[in-house]
Amino acid sequence: MTDSSRVERDEEAVVAGEATPTMRRRQVGAELRRLREAADVTIDQAAAHLQCSASKISRMETGAGIQRTRDITALLDLFGVTGEQLRDELLGMVRSARQQDWWHSYTDAVPRWFERFMAAESSAVSVEEFENQLVPGLLQTPQYARAVLRAANTSLDDDEIDRRVTVRMERQKRLAGTDPLALWVVLDESVLHRHVGGSDVMRGQLAHLAERAAQPNITVQVLPYALGAYAAFGYPFTILAFSAPPGGEVVHMDQLHSGLYLERDADLRRYKLAMNRLRAAALDPERSSKMIIEAAEEMG
């Protein structure tokens, strides 16, 4: 471990901004990792200092584990961090991260596995999504969302379906505001022609999709039938990117009653390459918007 002066020279202010509790945990974790590495302390050494497992330190650094002020204080001491401003800001973020995210009010309305996805989506700065069956949830109208949820959850009553629709609409608030989520969607053309909820619902959904696609933070591209087979054909996926840690990303894939997450560098490279190929193969946003509007007009 180097002397404390090296760590102090490397200290930078932690900016909480308008972060969600999930984002704050990620920011705290990213800063802990940065400080640990600057102090030449291994995860095993940090774990020994706290008398805990190495996996606990890893979870703290990814923001997935519990971050207690006493543990953070002990780690800052180990790392030789003496700057009061950095310590105060970091510990302040730990305390503020104890607040509940908005979706905790709806934990009765969504499967438990989906809470992890909402946490990731809420703290993401950008989302790239390929979909070959449905309009993505972030771009659905309430009527379309209700039809999708009803088809997939035949055992739920109307009140439960309505509550899940409300959650979906709440998620869409990330697309507006002063710091909106950047969303890039690539759709198979079949999504435009599948009569989910009937013709009236689809006309409204396609009009809404075209309207949303005109927002500066939203890009929608369509893969036309004429293209034939293409990269990731038949395998929809979502890439979520985060600002803390810088460059942090995760791939998510929906399954029938669960979600699959990929975070290894090799997996991320494959899916980012696939997304780049999809964007290159799809119609440009202007022609895609035209195709969406035409599909709405043709909806019988």
Side-chain angles (χ1 to χ4, degrees), residues 124-141:
V125 294
S126 69
V127 170
E128 299 172 283
E129 186 165 356
F130 162 57
E131 180 56 69
N132 65 346
Q133 297 290 334
L134 299 168
V135 173
L138 288 175
L139 298 176
Q140 292 178 3
T141 63

Side-chain angles (χ1 to χ4, degrees), residues 1-3 6-7 39-41 45 77-80:
M1 181 172 55
T2 60
D3 60 27
R6 174 182 168 184
V7 177
D40 287 340
V41 175
Q45 289 171 331
D77 291 341
L78 174 65
F79 303 156

Side-chain angles (χ1 to χ4, degrees), residues 165-183:
V165 171
T166 299
V167 172
R168 194 157 295 188
M169 297 304 106
E170 286 292 319
R171 287 170 52 205
Q172 295 181 9
K173 291 181 178 179
R174 281 296 323 279
L175 297 172
T178 57
D179 187 24
L181 178 71
L183 177 63

Side-chain angles (χ1 to χ4, degrees), residues 131-135 144 188-198 202 206 225 299:
E131 180 56 69
N132 65 346
Q133 297 290 334
L134 299 168
V135 173
Y144 185 96
D188 188 287
E189 185 181 350
S190 62
V191 174
L192 310 183
H193 302 291
R194 180 168 287 105
H195 285 223
V196 175
M202 278 305 301
L206 293 175
Y225 286 140
M299 189 64 59

